[in-house]
């Protein structure tokens, strides 16, 4: 973010002293406050996203609490309660969704995908879990190409191929690679890809924001995992969540995990509102690097040289993907702007009743114009 940008391109009328000095002081103080707000949102997003992975991994692997699906249901219930309170205080506007069946099915699918991702974290290393999350992007593109007939450039396909190559190298050489964890990760990728495509489709069809959709679907997400979570966890871990002996230390980590999960959702909402999609993408890469670094240093996740090479290749592919997406979006915006400008000038060019003198007047620049 350009810290000097706020002082440029100020119209001359705004430079004149206002009648009261108070108004000018408020204006001068708005920019630093805005910058602090953006920095705070970015810091909260990075901290909470890294903390939730480290906290959950420590809870499941180091403290012996393997009930990932049940833990996810608690996260979603706390998130819904927090959103309900936020809605009461008019933090965001709720919207009556007429298609309850669609929201319910979406909530169930999204809840299952989140549960599978947390199970993947429980059964795999942090490196494998992060590679699973990175693999979601190319598989989403593949599904959109096959079923929605979307077209993607060769640059996008190349960058995603590089990303998949890195994921493959990092995953195959993972020292904690196991069959159950691999199957769970594949299911997590499949359900998350479908969920992300449906999120975009449902938001457009029902004309709701991501926060409004989360608020409406959160009860269904929490409900499906609250009912199925204990059974799924018992089948996978051979332990009963209700018979587990909860020590004060484990309870403290569970509460901390639930609080951080709310912070993750809230910070995502803040970052999307205060920054650009490019910043959000770069932030995602920073989170991945920090999660891998903390997993290695704090939780002593095993890494081999090939494992590190695969992660670096995947990160490089992800960086290329972000760059090409940004570049193509800018080109599209410029083309759209050019088309809109041509459409605006067409009526003048097509008006046969306009005389030569009138056309000359249109072409003459206005002396008072800023252009």
């Amino acid at each position: 973010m350009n810290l000097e940008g706020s002082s440029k391109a100020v119209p001359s009328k705004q430079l004149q002293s206002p009648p009261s000095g108070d108004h000018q002081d408020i204006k001068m103080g708005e920019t630093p406050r805005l910058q602090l707000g953006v920095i705070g949102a970015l810091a909260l997003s990075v901290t909470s996203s890294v903390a939730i992975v480290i906290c959950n991994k420590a809870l499941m692997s180091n403290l012996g609490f393997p009930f990932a699906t049940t833990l996810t249901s608690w996260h979603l219930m706390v998130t819904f309660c927090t959103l309900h309170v936020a809605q009461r205080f008019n933090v965001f506007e709720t919207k009556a969704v007429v298609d309850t069946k669609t929201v319910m099915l979406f909530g169930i699918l999204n809840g299952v995908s989140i549960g599978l991702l947390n199970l993947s974290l429980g059964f795999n290393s942090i490196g494998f879990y992060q590679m699973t999350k990175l693999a979601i992007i190319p598989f989403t593109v593949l599904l959109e190409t096959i079923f929605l007939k979307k077209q993607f450039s060769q640059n996008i396909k190349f960058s995603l191929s590089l990303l998949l190559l890195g994921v493959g190298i990092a995953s195959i050489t993972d020292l904690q690679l196991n069959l159950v964890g691999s199957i769970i990760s594949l299911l997590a990728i499949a359900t998350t890809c479908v969920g992300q495509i449906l999120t975009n489709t449902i938001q457009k069809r029902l004309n709701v924001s991501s926060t409004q959709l989360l608020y409406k679907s959160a009860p269904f997400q929490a409900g499906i995992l609250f009912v199925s979570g204990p059974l799924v966890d018992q089948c996978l871990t051979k332990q009963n969540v209700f018979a587990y002996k909860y020590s004060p230390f484990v309870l403290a980590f569970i509460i901390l995990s639930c609080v951080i999960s709310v912070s993750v959702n809230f910070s995502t909402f803040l970052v999307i509102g205060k920054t650009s999609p490019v910043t959000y993408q770069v932030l995602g890469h920073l989170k991945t690097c920090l999660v891998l670094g903390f997993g290695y240093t704090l939780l002593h996740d095993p890494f081999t040289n090939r494992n590190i090479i695969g992660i670096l290749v995947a990160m490089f592919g992800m960086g290329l993907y972000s760059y090409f997406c940004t570049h193509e979006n800018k080109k599209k915006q410029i083309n759209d702007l050019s088309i809109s400008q041509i459409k605006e000038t067409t009526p003048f060019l097509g008006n046969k009743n306009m005389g030569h003198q009138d056309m000359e007047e249109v072409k003459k620049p206005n002396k008072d114009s800023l252009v």
Side-chain angles (χ1 to χ4, degrees):
M1 186 178 180
N2 185 7
L3 299 181
E4 297 176 358
S6 58
S7 62
K8 296 178 181 179
V10 181
S12 58
K13 289 183 180 179
Q14 290 183 9
L15 295 176
Q16 296 174 1
S17 300
S20 173
D22 297 336
H23 180 70
Q24 189 176 10
D25 293 338
I26 293 170
K27 285 288 183 183
M28 292 292 288
E30 281 180 1
T31 303
R33 281 199 214 102
L34 181 62
Q35 291 167 3
L36 286 173
V38 172
I39 293 169
L42 294 173
L44 181 64
S45 179
V46 172
T47 305
S48 57
S49 296
V50 174
I52 192 74
V53 176
I54 302 300
C55 180
N56 288 348
K57 186 63 178 177
L59 188 59
M60 289 183 272
S61 298
N62 296 59
L63 298 178
F65 184 83
F67 311 107
T69 318
T70 306
L71 180 65
T72 308
S73 71
W74 296 342
H75 286 174
L76 291 169
M77 281 192 290
V78 173
T79 298
F80 172 71
C81 292
T82 308
L83 284 172
H84 187 68
V85 172
Q87 187 266 327
R88 288 286 184 181
F89 282 95
N90 297 320
V91 175
F92 68 95
E93 292 182 4
T94 186
K95 189 169 184 177
V97 181
V98 290
D99 197 350
T100 308
K101 185 180 177 181
T102 300
V103 175
M104 182 179 71
L105 292 174
F106 167 76
I108 292 171
L109 176 65
N110 213 33
V112 170
S113 72
I114 295 170
L116 287 168
L117 278 172
N118 274 348
L119 280 172
S120 174
L121 179 62
F123 279 86
N124 300 302
S125 67
I126 286 181
F128 192 94
Y129 167 75
Q130 287 298 121
M131 292 303 100
T132 299
K133 291 179 73 175
L134 285 179
I136 290 169
I137 298 170
F139 278 103
T140 302
V141 169
L142 180 65
L143 287 177
E144 288 183 328
T145 304
I146 295 172
F147 295 104
L148 301 180
K149 307 300 180 185
K150 283 192 175 182
Q151 299 294 323
F152 295 91
S153 67
Q154 292 299 322
N155 288 334
I156 295 291
K157 291 176 182 178
F158 169 73
S159 61
L160 292 178
S161 300
L162 199 63
L163 194 157
L164 276 178
L165 175 65
V167 169
I169 295 170
S171 303
I172 292 170
T173 58
D174 194 280
L175 296 177
Q176 294 184 7
L177 186 66
N178 60 88
L179 181 62
V180 176
S182 300
I183 292 171
I184 289 171
S185 292
L186 288 173
L187 290 172
I189 290 170
T191 52
T192 306
C193 287
V194 175
Q196 287 186 352
I197 294 170
L198 284 178
T199 299
N200 190 29
T201 307
I202 292 171
Q203 277 186 239
K204 287 180 179 177
R205 189 158 69 86
L206 300 180
N207 193 25
V208 292
S209 66
S210 57
T211 310
Q212 290 170 336
L213 185 59
L214 176 63
Y215 176 65
K216 291 292 182 181
S217 61
F220 303 110
Q221 295 180 38
I224 186 67
L225 292 180
F226 190 74
V227 173
S228 63
L231 297 173
V232 172
D233 288 334
Q234 190 165 7
C235 289
L236 292 172
T237 64
K238 309 301 180 186
Q239 298 182 54
N240 191 340
V241 67
F242 301 109
Y244 182 82
K245 293 181 180 179
Y246 293 86
S247 67
F249 205 54
V250 170
L251 282 173
F253 262 79
I254 290 172
I255 294 169
L256 178 63
S257 179
C258 290
V259 171
I260 297 172
S261 71
V262 175
S263 180
V264 169
N265 288 311
F266 183 65
S267 62
T268 301
F269 172 68
L270 281 178
V271 169
I272 291 173
K274 290 181 178 293
T275 63
S276 66
V278 183
T279 306
Y280 192 70
Q281 289 279 355
V282 173
L283 205 66
H285 306 331
L286 176 61
K287 291 174 188 176
T288 301
C289 295
L290 289 174
V291 166
L292 292 170
F294 280 116
Y296 179 72
T297 53
L298 295 180
L299 304 178
H300 306 292
D301 255 21
F303 279 97
T304 64
N305 289 333
R306 287 184 181 179
N307 197 231
I308 294 170
I309 290 170
I311 290 169
L312 290 175
V313 171
M315 290 296 297
F316 181 67
M318 188 65 204
L320 280 179
Y321 170 75
S322 299
Y323 171 76
F324 289 137
C325 280
T326 306
H327 183 67
E328 290 180 11
N329 284 336
K330 282 183 179 178
K331 283 179 66 177
K332 187 180 177 182
Q333 287 175 358
I334 292 170
N335 290 336
D336 291 343
L337 183 63
S338 300
I339 292 169
S340 64
Q341 287 176 345
I342 290 169
K343 287 181 178 179
E344 286 175 2
T345 56
T346 300
F348 292 102
L349 297 175
N351 191 348
K352 294 180 180 179
N353 294 324
M354 182 179 286
H356 177 73
Q357 188 177 357
D358 294 330
M359 288 293 291
E360 290 296 326
E361 290 296 326
V362 171
K363 290 178 183 178
K364 285 180 184 178
N366 189 352
K367 292 181 181 178
D368 297 329
S369 174
L370 293 175
V371 180

